[in-house]
């Protein structure tokens, strides 16, 4: 399941629901991404999406993960809008019979989200605002799966 | 009428994220539209950069496609990742 949320979400509550719904899974891996403090210099982070296009892209990545690994369930929640330091941006949870599939699928989905997902990111610091693009290391991480 | 969407850094240049326009009859391809919008918003070659992707009706297009059946056209700068 893919959810794009314009409002703050509670990763713990969503993870609990995900676990309750995946009773047959012996392994659940999860990742929570939050707005970094950057030494308290980041005042806000704004994320923009292209509505259904962004959602479809993430759903395709979920399908690819399900084709690669024997997953019982997948949850991706991604924020858009304005966030502040410490706010959750993303939750990825994967459920599988065994841990390796859950770990790897979670890692794969995060690499997709960091480099290919259709989001634009504007960071505001004390010295102004700028649109941010993926780091070289993010692209390198994503290449591991090709 | 066609809805034009500008994402990321492009919306800073156009001062709007979207607009719905009744295009002149002679604007019937992507390249003509880019030139026309470039003049309308004083964008220089911002829409013509290779890094800008174009979507017609939410489907990625390459080259100088016809916009005859376009209800929505999006201009997408490089994505920033989540």
């Amino acid at each position: 399941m893919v959810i794009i949320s314009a409002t703050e979400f509670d990763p713990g509550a969503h993870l609990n629901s995900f676990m309750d719904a995946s009773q047959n899974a012996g392994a659940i891996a999860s990742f929570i991404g939050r707005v970094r403090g950057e030494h308290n210099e980041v005042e806000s982070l704004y994320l923009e999406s292209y509505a259904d296009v962004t959602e479809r892209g993430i759903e395709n990545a979920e399908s690819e993960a399900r084709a690669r690994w024997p997953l019982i369930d997948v949850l991706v929640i991604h924020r858009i809008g304005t966030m502040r330091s410490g706010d959750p941006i993303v939750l990825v949870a994967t459920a599988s019979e065994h841990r390796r599939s859950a770990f790897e699928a979670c890692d794969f989905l995060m690499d997709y989200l960091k480099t290919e997902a259709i989001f634009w990111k504007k960071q505001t610091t004390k010295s102004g605002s700028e649109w941010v693009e993926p780091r070289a290391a993010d692209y390198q991480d994503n290449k591991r799966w090709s | 009428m066609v809805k034009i969407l500008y994402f990321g850094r492009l919306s800073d240049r156009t001062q709007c994220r979207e607009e719905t326009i009744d295009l002149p009859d002679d604007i019937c391809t992507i390249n003509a539209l880019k030139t026309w919008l470039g003049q309308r918003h004083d964008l220089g070659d911002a829409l013509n950069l290779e890094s800008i992707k174009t979507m017609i009706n939410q489907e990625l297009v390459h080259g100088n496609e016809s916009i005859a059946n376009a209800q929505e056209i999006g201009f997408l700068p490089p994505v920033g990742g989540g």
Side-chain angles (χ1 to χ4, degrees):
Chain A
M1 180 191 279
V2 175
I3 300 170
I4 308 278
S5 174
T7 55
E8 192 170 352
F9 68 95
D10 179 348
H14 282 281
L15 191 55
N16 280 333
S17 304
F18 183 78
M19 286 172 64
D20 288 345
S22 312
Q23 290 294 338
N24 294 330
I28 290 176
S30 65
F31 177 85
I32 297 164
R34 304 199 301 174
V35 181
R36 266 195 308 276
E38 303 274 15
H39 314 292
N40 293 325
E41 289 214 335
V42 176
E43 291 180 351
S44 67
L45 190 69
Y46 170 76
L47 269 166
E48 180 180 59
S49 68
Y50 187 176
D52 297 348
V53 178
T54 302
E55 202 166 316
R56 273 206 307 275
I58 302 173
E59 282 167 355
N60 289 343
E62 177 186 337
S63 298
E64 196 179 333
R66 285 178 182 273
R68 281 173 176 242
W69 294 280
L71 300 172
I72 292 168
D73 204 359
V74 174
L75 173 66
V76 176
I77 305 178
H78 208 294
R79 268 298 307 274
I80 53 171
T82 303
M83 288 154 273
R84 311 231 165 250
S85 173
D87 285 355
I89 304 173
V90 61
L91 166 68
V92 174
T94 49
S96 186
E97 275 189 38
H98 302 286
R99 73 183 185 284
R100 188 63 54 204
S101 302
F103 273 135
E104 289 185 359
C106 188
D107 199 11
F108 168 84
L109 286 166
M110 271 314 302
D111 282 343
Y112 168 82
L113 290 167
K114 291 297 288 183
T115 54
E116 291 184 53
I118 301 175
F119 291 107
W120 295 273
K121 186 157 62 179
K122 194 178 205 179
Q123 186 171 285
T124 300
T125 63
K126 290 181 177 69
S127 44
S129 296
E130 60 172 356
W131 293 96
V132 184
E133 286 168 17
R135 302 167 305 148
D138 293 325
Y139 289 118
Q140 209 58 43
D141 283 345
N142 197 37
K143 274 191 188 160
R144 291 179 300 155
W145 309 103
S146 53
Chain B
M1 299 288 270
V2 60
K3 182 155 85 171
I4 314 281
L5 300 168
Y6 307 98
F7 293 98
R9 62 183 79 237
L10 283 175
S11 61
D12 285 353
R13 297 285 304 273
T14 56
Q15 300 290 310
C16 68
R17 194 173 175 273
E18 65 174 75
E19 58 184 343
T20 302
I21 308 176
D22 197 2
L23 290 172
D25 290 344
D26 59 334
I27 305 300
C28 42
T29 65
I30 283 294
N31 286 355
L33 177 67
K34 284 179 176 177
T35 303
W36 191 78
L37 290 172
Q39 286 164 0
R40 177 181 166 93
H41 292 292
D42 197 17
L43 299 176
D45 64 351
L47 291 177
N48 294 306
L49 297 176
E50 213 171 302
S51 59
I52 304 293
K53 291 182 177 164
T54 305
M55 282 189 159
I56 297 180
N57 300 336
Q58 303 196 348
E59 296 292 336
L60 202 58
V61 297
H62 306 279
N64 192 19
E65 297 273 330
S66 162
I67 57 170
N69 297 315
Q71 281 102 50
E72 182 178 299
I73 299 173
F75 293 106
L76 292 70
V79 295

